[in-house]
Amino acid sequence: MDSNRLSKAMQTALNSQMNKENLQAQIYLSYGCWADSEGYEGISNFLFRHSKEERDHMMKFLEYILKRGGKVAVSEIPAPSANPTSVNDCFEKVFKQEVDNTKSIYSLVKQCMEEEDWATWNFMQWFVMEQTEEENLAIELLDMIRVAGGKDASHSALFSLDKRMGERGGDARLAQEVTTDRP
Ligand code: OFO
């Protein structure tokens, strides 16, 4: 008897989003290494923490697929996109990535509605809220770099910004609440 409560198309879409979250984690990891090698310890720390949050998102998808009796397909992760060329570029890239991920989440929600898969629709609402928080966070980063002088930010402005980033607590509130034990 087939106990898989996900349609084939939904299972594929959830797996694809799961792997996308994993790619997001790799991208933040890679940017974190870039920031550290440029001497921005605070920004690097922020990006590493965010990488961990993206991995938790991946686990959240993984556990949901299993819970619904579906099959998880962990795929290879493409190489992360090119490293940033500056802090300004880094924050712009973070913003674009988050907006791109929001589009994927919305498309999954649309699919839930079309299939009338209300369990998955309900599960996806957490991600809708989370993406709003992550976009807000990315906008905040863009504001911070704009105030620091954008592309032409001075060394001392970047130094202060890095220090502030190092002093920040966790990132998005919802993401902090997720752990692999408590997805
Ligand atoms: Fe997974 O939240 Fe950002 O992308």
Side-chain angles (χ1 to χ4, degrees), residues 163-183:
K163 197 161 175 297
R164 267 179 73 193
M165 297 281 294
E167 286 162 359
R168 287 178 72 105
D171 307 328
R173 182 181 53 80
L174 285 165
Q176 284 172 49
E177 290 166 0
V178 179
T179 65
T180 46
D181 312 334
R182 196 163 44 88

Side-chain angles (χ1 to χ4, degrees), residues 77-146:
I77 317 169
S81 43
N83 275 338
T85 51
S86 64
V87 174
N88 186 69
D89 184 43
C90 178
F91 290 179
E92 282 182 357
K93 280 184 155 75
V94 164
F95 177 70
K96 279 190 199 137
Q97 259 164 236
E98 289 306 331
V99 171
D100 176 64
N101 204 31
T102 300
K103 284 185 192 151
S104 300
I105 297 287
Y106 286 1
S107 135
L108 245 167
V109 173
K110 189 164 171 261
Q111 188 175 335
C112 292
M113 293 188 78
E114 284 162 0
E115 288 192 19
E116 299 188 2
D117 178 345
W118 306 122
T120 307
W121 182 89
N122 192 42
F123 165 74
M124 289 304 301
Q125 295 313 299
W126 186 92
F127 283 95
V128 171
M129 283 196 292
E130 174 66 7
Q131 281 310 120
T132 308
E133 292 211 10
E134 297 219 333
E135 284 188 6
N136 280 347
L137 178 70
I139 291 168
E140 205 189 310
L141 294 182
L142 287 179
D143 284 344
M144 280 166 85
I145 188 68
R146 193 177 306 124

